[in-house]
């Protein structure tokens, strides 16, 4: 089985960029003494919704309190590692990655990360496996001997896929080829017949899948996760929630597709001043209409949802805001 990686070491690049952008002298070790005139925010690849949302959020923060927010490409795991090393002060991560970090599991095996707090949950990132409409792949086990793109190596969707394969008695060794590329490139590979399945953990509907659905002659079909697979995932990680991709989300797929999802979390460095975190929480919650205009992904976002879907310890500054807003 061949594995192909078509990207640089994301974490190394992310950390080097953030170090260049952020003066080390700005971030003292003492809580409450951190200079928040300029911060770095870990998002994901350019063009993805995390990057777009982080940019808009950063602009809103700057407008509110003049803080300069540098948005850096990262990822669910890389952002937490950036927070661990103190080169990020804020970042996004997926809901299932947070308990892994706090408990020292999976990518954080043997080394729990406790340098961050949560301020809000945002929206569901949904695990999907897409194949062409005329594919003979019907179940997870049918992926044996097939070529797939699980997204970028080390991203949450790719790690979830490994767990899903294991729950079905499979591993990467049972596949013919693994292409580690972004979703848009993966969609092109599926369209051109170079892979048999495209998967990831992203907001739904996803623009790359929508385009693929209209450009493939047979459209796309989504592969469901059976109940045993879902329960296996949830027994390992409480961050996975039941989710159904409704029929009609993509024109060619009119059936409901059971799967799992994890809510995107907004994380902050634990040592950030309480007032600063209060401010950024306020900016996040009270600009909900702005985020909804960015994407239908945020259509259900409000203060109540942000609080109820937050995973992990909450920063005192966020707690203060939610209490004053009458939400806690």
């Amino acid at each position: 089985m061949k594995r192909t990686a078509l990207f640089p070491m994301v974490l190394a690049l992310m950390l080097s960029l953030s170090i260049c952008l952020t003066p080390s002298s700005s971030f003292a070790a003492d809580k409450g003494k951190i200079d928040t005139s300029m911060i770095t925010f870990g998002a994901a690849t350019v063009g993805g919704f995390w990057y777009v949302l982080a940019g808009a959020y950063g602009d809103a923060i700057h407008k509110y309190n003049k803080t300069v927010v540098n948005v850096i490409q990262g990822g669910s795991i890389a952002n937490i590692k950036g927070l661990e090393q103190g080169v990020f002060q804020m970042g996004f991560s997926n809901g299932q990655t947070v308990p892994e970090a706090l408990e020292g599991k999976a990518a954080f095996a043997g080394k729990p990360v406790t340098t961050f707090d949560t301020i809000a949950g945002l929206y569901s990132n949904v695990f999907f496996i897409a194949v062409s409409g005329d594919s003979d792949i019907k179940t997870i086990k049918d992926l044996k001997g097939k070529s797939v793109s699980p997204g970028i190596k080390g991203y949450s969707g790719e790690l979830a896929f490994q767990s899903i394969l294991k729950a079905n008695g499979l591993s990467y060794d049972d596949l013919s080829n693994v292409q580690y590329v972004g979703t848009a490139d993966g969609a092109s590979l599926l369209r051109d017949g170079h892979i048999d399945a495209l998967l990831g953990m992203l907001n739904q509907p996803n623009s790359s899948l929508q385009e693929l659905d209209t450009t493939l002659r047979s459209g796309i079909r989504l592969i469901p996760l059976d109940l045993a697979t879902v329960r296996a995932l949830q027994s390992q990680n409480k961050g996975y929630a039941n989710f159904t991709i409704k029929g009609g989300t993509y024109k060619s797929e009119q059936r409901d597709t059971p799967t799992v999802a994890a809510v995107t979390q907004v994380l902050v460095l634990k040592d950030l001043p309480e007032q600063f975190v209060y401010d950024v929480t306020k900016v996040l919650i009270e600009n909900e209409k702005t985020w909804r205009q960015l994407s239908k992904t945020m259509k259900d976002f409000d203060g109540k949802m942000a609080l109820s879907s937050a995973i992990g310890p909450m920063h005192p500054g966020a707690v203060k805001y939610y209490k004053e807003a009458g939400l806690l």
Side-chain angles (χ1 to χ4, degrees):
M1 187 276 296
K2 180 182 177 184
R3 307 179 191 181
T4 306
L6 298 179
F7 72 104
M9 295 299 291
V10 174
L11 179 58
L13 176 59
M14 175 273 294
L15 292 179
S16 65
L17 283 172
S18 55
I19 289 169
C20 291
L21 287 168
T22 307
S24 59
S25 60
S26 296
F27 300 101
D30 295 333
K31 186 174 182 178
K33 296 183 179 180
I34 296 176
D35 178 3
T36 55
S37 63
M38 183 171 71
I39 67 168
T40 54
F41 194 115
T45 52
V46 173
F49 185 57
W50 274 11
Y51 198 88
V52 172
L53 180 58
Y57 186 20
D59 288 343
I61 292 171
H62 180 66
K63 183 177 180 180
Y64 185 78
N65 65 7
K66 305 306 180 184
T67 296
V68 175
V69 180
N70 293 307
V71 178
I72 306 297
Q73 296 186 63
S76 188
I77 294 167
N79 293 342
I80 289 181
K81 291 187 174 182
L83 287 164
E84 177 186 26
Q85 296 185 25
V87 294
F88 279 7
Q89 290 71 54
M90 296 183 67
F92 293 139
S93 190
N94 277 330
Q96 85 280 12
T97 309
V98 172
E100 289 174 349
L102 293 171
E103 298 167 15
K105 296 180 178 178
F108 310 93
K111 190 180 180 182
V113 181
T114 58
T115 57
F116 67 89
D117 286 332
T118 305
I119 68 169
L122 297 181
Y123 66 90
S124 294
N125 279 307
V126 183
F127 183 85
F128 69 90
I129 300 177
V131 299
S132 63
D134 56 4
S135 170
D136 61 353
I137 300 171
K138 308 292 184 183
T139 68
I140 299 297
K141 292 182 178 180
D142 292 337
L143 291 171
K144 186 174 183 178
K146 303 296 187 181
S147 176
V148 308
S149 173
I152 294 177
K153 185 175 178 63
Y155 270 29
S156 54
E158 193 255 342
L159 296 177
F161 182 52
Q162 291 188 44
S163 296
I164 288 167
L165 287 176
K166 184 176 180 181
N168 285 271
L170 299 173
S171 72
Y172 278 178
D173 290 337
D174 295 302
L175 307 178
S176 65
N177 184 270
V178 177
Q179 297 278 350
Y180 298 112
V181 297
T183 307
D185 289 336
S188 295
L189 290 174
L190 182 59
R191 182 184 302 108
D192 296 338
H194 297 306
I195 59 172
D196 301 301
L198 171 67
L199 60 101
M201 201 159 188
L202 300 168
N203 56 302
Q204 296 294 325
N206 179 267
S207 58
S208 292
L209 292 185
Q210 288 175 318
E211 181 180 358
L212 187 62
D213 190 38
T214 60
T215 53
L216 273 174
R217 178 177 298 179
S218 59
I220 63 170
R221 184 160 41 79
L222 301 177
I223 305 302
L225 299 186
D226 60 30
L227 184 59
T229 299
V230 171
R231 286 178 173 171
L233 288 173
Q234 292 173 337
S235 68
Q236 299 170 24
N237 190 315
K238 61 184 179 182
Y240 288 113
N242 291 60
F243 194 93
T244 299
I245 302 175
K246 295 295 185 181
T249 299
Y250 301 102
K251 185 177 180 180
S252 299
E253 179 56 279
Q254 294 299 313
R255 303 170 305 166
D256 287 352
T257 304
T259 183
V260 294
V263 177
T264 288
Q265 303 291 305
V266 185
L267 308 180
V268 297
L269 193 66
K270 186 183 292 289
D271 287 339
L272 283 173
E274 181 176 308
Q275 185 58 47
F276 176 78
V277 177
Y278 172 93
D279 289 347
V280 298
T281 306
K282 178 182 177 71
V283 169
L284 178 66
I285 303 304
E286 297 185 6
N287 281 279
E288 60 183 61
K289 291 182 180 179
T290 300
W291 319 140
R292 290 174 185 169
Q293 290 172 356
L294 286 179
S295 172
K296 292 181 180 179
T297 297
M298 298 289 287
K299 63 182 176 62
D300 297 323
F301 177 77
D302 59 17
K304 184 177 180 181
M305 185 268 185
L307 179 60
S308 65
S309 60
I311 297 174
M314 183 162 287
H315 194 284
V319 172
K320 179 182 177 182
Y321 172 78
Y322 286 120
K323 286 183 176 178
E324 290 188 6
L327 295 167
L328 187 62

